[in-house]
Amino acid sequence: MHYNTGYQAEAMPLLSRFVEQFKGAEAVVVPSSSCVAMMRDHYPKMALAIGRVELIAEVDALLPKVFEFSEFLTKRLGLEDVGAYYPHRVTYHASCHGLRNLVLGDGPMRLLKAVRGIDLVELQGLEQCCGFGGTFAVKNADVSSAMLAEKTTAVLNTKAEACTACDNSCLMHIQGALHRQRTGVKTVHLAEILAGDEGALR
């Protein structure tokens, strides 16, 4: 968030730290489509701006090993059924970065459809932004709130017990509105559903 909200100088050390921490990894799996999109879109430019030849090479070598969570399961491992059990009514929100930047396609939905016991309900306006967008929600609060209202209305219309997505920032934004309205509807990350073996809705 530092880099794409104007704090580019402050973001540079974070790039170096990320590379140092993960350059030896076989795969880096990230439960956030917006984070992976930021890395793929901006890390090469950041490395060039820093100007260290070694860092540029390390970024080029590391980025192909960085995966969003559902992308890792479906595209790298070729999995859809992970043996999960989640007996709840659930709807899925497609976050903007996963949909448009990473082009996750129907991967998350295929994973959800394979979950035992789940009652998966399609969300109207599935591809519409929830209105968060990081500092967009602060700088354009009225627009963000209007977009969020449309999204939460769509969620409530599904009668789902939970709304899931691949990005915690979207889930945080949606959960805030659902909580303030005392709807009782929860937000859960896709990974939490796929880890389910007893069906507890936390």
Side-chain angles (χ1 to χ4, degrees):
M1 187 176 290
H2 286 72
Y3 189 84
N4 57 19
T5 53
Y7 296 94
Q8 296 184 359
E10 290 82 354
M12 297 304 183
L14 299 177
L15 166 61
S16 298
R17 176 173 171 75
F18 179 84
V19 171
E20 184 61 31
Q21 293 292 319
F22 294 105
K23 62 183 179 182
E26 182 179 351
V28 181
V29 182
V30 185
S32 168
S33 53
S34 58
C35 289
V36 175
M38 190 278 169
M39 293 174 196
R40 291 181 184 171
D41 289 347
H42 297 296
Y43 273 11
K45 293 182 287 186
M46 292 168 65
L48 284 171
I50 292 172
R52 284 172 33 214
V53 175
E54 180 183 358
L55 180 62
I56 294 170
E58 288 174 337
V59 168
D60 287 344
L62 179 56
L63 280 182
K65 302 176 185 178
V66 176
F67 298 89
E68 182 274 332
F69 174 72
S70 70
E71 178 185 47
F72 180 74
L73 292 176
T74 58
K75 296 183 179 180
R76 174 68 184 271
L77 300 183
L79 293 175
E80 291 184 11
D81 187 349
V82 299
Y85 173 66
Y86 198 81
H88 300 286
R89 189 174 177 89
V90 176
T91 194
Y92 167 72
H93 161 68
S95 63
C96 293
H97 287 94
L99 184 69
R100 297 174 178 86
N101 291 67
L102 304 185
V103 195
L104 297 180
D106 65 347
M109 286 294 286
R110 296 201 315 270
L111 289 164
L112 286 167
K113 287 177 180 178
V115 174
R116 290 159 183 78
I118 197 169
D119 180 9
L120 187 60
V121 189
E122 184 174 350
L123 182 67
Q124 184 177 3
L126 166 73
E127 300 179 352
Q128 291 180 8
C129 179
C130 70
F132 182 61
T135 53
F136 173 85
V138 177
K139 295 180 178 179
N140 301 277
D142 290 344
V143 176
S144 173
S145 295
M147 296 169 74
L148 177 60
E150 288 188 2
K151 182 61 65 174
T152 52
T153 296
V155 170
L156 293 174
N157 285 342
T158 67
K159 308 298 183 186
E161 298 172 73
C163 175
T164 191
C166 295
D167 211 312
N168 278 321
S169 56
C170 296
L171 293 173
M172 176 187 70
H173 193 51
I174 295 169
Q175 179 63 59
L178 294 172
H179 177 73
R180 287 190 295 274
Q181 296 175 44
R182 302 181 186 277
T183 64
V185 180
K186 305 295 184 183
T187 58
V188 290
H189 192 280
L190 174 65
E192 295 179 88
I193 292 177
L194 298 185
D197 58 5
E198 296 179 357
L201 187 62
R202 294 180 291 276

